Amino acid sequence: MTTSSTPITMYTTSWCPDCKAAKRALDSKGLAYTEINIEEVEDAAEAVMRVNGGKRSVPTLVYGDTAASLSGFSIVKMNAFLSQAGLA
């Protein structure tokens, strides 16, 4: 796995079980992330919708030019994002 000093940006909400699962998965892999709660940070929901074709979907992970919604979280989706981002 490639490690980077640049963290993944994870857009979340406080009530989202998929967000909690994604955080646990990233933690288990030792990958750094910055969490942005779209209910608390102005314009964060718009950023999520911009990378998700208009959908307000969380968790959404962004790393460089790679973005993916992991709503309906699965390890397969997480690994696909990490691979596409060059982190796996």
Side-chain angles (χ1 to χ4, degrees):
M1 169 174 34
T2 303
T3 58
S4 172
S5 60
T6 304
I8 295 165
T9 300
M10 182 187 314
Y11 293 94
T12 66
T13 60
S14 58
W15 50 266
C16 169
D18 289 334
C19 298
K20 292 177 174 96
K23 289 187 270 188
R24 282 192 304 271
L26 289 174
D27 289 343
S28 74
K29 293 178 178 289
L31 293 170
Y33 57 91
T34 300
E35 183 178 358
I36 299 174
N37 187 318
I38 67 170
E39 297 172 316
E40 297 173 356
V41 177
E42 189 174 343
D43 298 328
E46 288 79 12
V48 166
M49 292 187 304
R50 203 169 29 256
V51 299
N52 286 320
K55 296 179 183 170
R56 187 175 165 159
S57 176
V58 292
T60 290
L61 276 59
V62 178
Y63 185 81
D65 293 333
T66 303
S69 168
L70 298 185
S71 181
F73 180 80
S74 74
I75 293 298
V76 171
K77 284 183 181 181
M78 171 71 75
N79 289 340
F81 167 78
L82 295 173
S83 179
Q84 186 178 9
L87 295 170

